[in-house]
């Protein structure tokens, strides 16, 4: 299912860990609606970064998958309101976070976090506005 011009439901729910563990990561209809809104924010981010492709490294995670990957119980990933992204065509995740930080409100980002574990880094965005 195409959520927006550049983002599909399949890419926002894809999970190697879910496949590995046999976890059904199918979102609820309510989560699909939130994922569409998240994809719309990702479209705005893509445009802001010069229309470079964005790779979603983690999107929707059902509660079982979220627990399996060590996510916090209050994670916005479990409601379809978060995505972890990289955009190699733009630059490093730190460069992406720095480019987006001054535009958080205008883009509809509720939370922007540069995250790094070892040599892996990504940008976490949430569309939930407190």
């Amino acid at each position: 299912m195409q959520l927006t011009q550049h983002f599909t439901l399949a890419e926002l729910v894809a999970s190697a860990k879910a496949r590995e563990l046999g976890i059904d990561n199918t979102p609820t209809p309510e989560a699909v609606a939130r994922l569409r809104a998240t994809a719309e924010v990702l479209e705005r981010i893509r445009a802001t970064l010069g229309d470079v492709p964005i790779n979603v490294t983690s999107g929707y995670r059902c509660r079982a998958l979220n627990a399996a990957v060590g996510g916090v119980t209050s994670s916005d990933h479990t409601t379809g309101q978060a995505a972890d992204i990289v955009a190699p065509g733009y630059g490093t995740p730190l460069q992406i976070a720095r480019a987006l930080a001054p535009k958080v409100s205008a883009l509809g980002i509720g939370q922007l976090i540069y995250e790094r574990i070892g040599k892996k880094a990504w940008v976490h965005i949430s569309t939930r506005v407190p």
Side-chain angles (χ1 to χ4, degrees):
M1 167 192 292
Q2 199 74 36
L3 297 175
T4 62
Q5 181 180 359
H6 297 104
F7 298 97
T8 65
L9 179 61
E11 73 183 295
L12 288 174
V13 301
S15 170
K17 186 59 120 178
R19 283 190 305 277
E20 173 190 328
L21 298 176
I23 296 172
D24 179 2
N25 196 41
T26 303
T28 64
E30 296 81 12
V32 172
R34 290 187 204 106
L35 284 165
R36 186 178 308 279
T38 298
E40 290 168 0
V41 170
L42 292 173
E43 289 288 356
R44 292 192 292 273
I45 290 170
R46 180 183 166 119
T48 298
L49 299 179
D51 204 32
V52 298
I54 291 175
N55 300 326
V56 177
T57 60
S58 183
Y60 174 76
R61 298 191 301 238
C62 67
R63 297 223 175 261
L65 177 58
N66 192 58
V69 300
V72 298
T73 56
S74 61
S75 174
D76 289 338
H77 286 279
T78 64
T79 61
Q81 294 174 285
D84 297 337
I85 62 168
V86 294
Y90 181 82
T92 67
L94 183 58
Q95 290 170 319
I96 294 165
R98 286 181 173 156
L100 297 177
K103 302 171 183 172
V104 164
S105 293
L107 293 171
I109 299 171
Q111 185 181 57
L112 173 75
I113 304 172
Y114 166 72
E115 297 182 310
R116 183 177 174 164
I117 297 176
K119 293 184 179 192
K120 285 191 170 187
W122 60 92
V123 177
H124 168 88
I125 65 108
S126 170
T127 58
R128 185 174 57 87
V129 179

